[in-house]
Amino acid sequence: MFREDEIIVLDAVCNEYAECLLTVEKGGINEETLRRLAPGENPDEWKSVYENNKTVSQLVSFQILDIYVDSTSHVKCLCVCEANYRDWKTPEDRYLFILQIEMMKIDLWEVKSSQLLSTARKADVVIIRDDITNAVKFIPKKGGDRK
């Protein structure tokens, strides 16, 4: 079992990483923060993808939903993020993203990989946890409620 102070550190690292991932202006990212949090990532590749896709995004909120502990030095964090987002094919709106962030601890916690598991327009969906599989997923809002 992880101590509360360790969970606070994991939350902070995941939040900063989500900020790098989902706060993009004119193809720009926070390269210094990305290098510190995820030394295995290539900021130039990130910038190239964002520039090619004409991505503009601003992280609005972030929350860790689950922490899967493989060992005291290896975890996977399941997170939900909300962002104002647009790219060349996606109209500007508020979107939700379900993200898995894999982290390793050598001296400090570092992001080893991340995977976008799902995304949806916030006005169209509700986030639920499946009773049988325990998976976090989006389901369509009923009755066309678009608030």
Side-chain angles (χ1 to χ4, degrees):
M1 180 128 194
F2 269 51
R3 297 183 329 260
E4 185 174 338
D5 61 328
E6 197 76 20
I7 292 170
I8 290 169
V9 171
L10 290 171
D11 182 71
V13 171
C14 286
N15 193 353
E16 277 190 282
Y17 183 78
E19 182 78 31
C20 286
L21 187 65
L22 290 169
T23 296
V24 181
E25 295 177 6
K26 298 178 184 172
I29 60 168
N30 188 331
E31 292 181 50
E32 182 181 318
T33 301
L34 180 61
R35 282 189 179 98
R36 178 175 50 81
L37 298 174
E41 292 287 351
N42 183 336
D44 292 331
E45 287 178 9
W46 281 39
K47 286 188 333 189
S48 177
V49 168
Y50 288 139
E51 287 171 1
N52 290 338
N53 288 335
K54 298 176 177 46
T55 303
V56 176
S57 181
Q58 179 67 48
L59 182 68
V60 174
S61 65
F62 164 87
Q63 182 177 0
I64 288 183
L65 302 175
D66 290 322
I67 299 174
Y68 301 103
V69 179
D70 288 336
S71 71
T72 57
S73 62
H74 182 223
V75 299
K76 293 178 183 170
C77 298
L78 184 64
C79 311
V80 65
C81 303
E82 181 177 339
N84 290 320
Y85 181 92
R86 79 167 190 261
D87 63 29
W88 72 273
K89 65 179 178 178
T90 307
E92 184 171 353
D93 211 329
R94 184 81 48 109
Y95 290 89
L96 297 172
F97 302 85
I98 298 174
L99 180 67
Q100 179 177 286
I101 302 173
E102 181 177 7
M103 299 176 23
M104 297 288 291
K105 183 176 185 180
I106 298 167
D107 291 324
L108 302 171
W109 285 105
E110 295 179 356
V111 175
K112 290 300 171 192
S113 67
S114 65
Q115 183 178 9
L116 180 62
L117 303 177
S118 190
T119 188
R121 194 168 156 260
K122 182 180 180 183
D124 295 338
V125 298
V126 174
I127 300 172
I128 66 156
R129 188 176 296 270
D130 187 281
D131 291 341
I132 297 170
T133 65
N134 208 30
V136 175
K137 61 185 181 179
F138 299 127
I139 60 167
K141 284 187 177 178
K142 296 185 181 188
D145 184 13
R146 296 185 148 221
K147 292 184 180 180

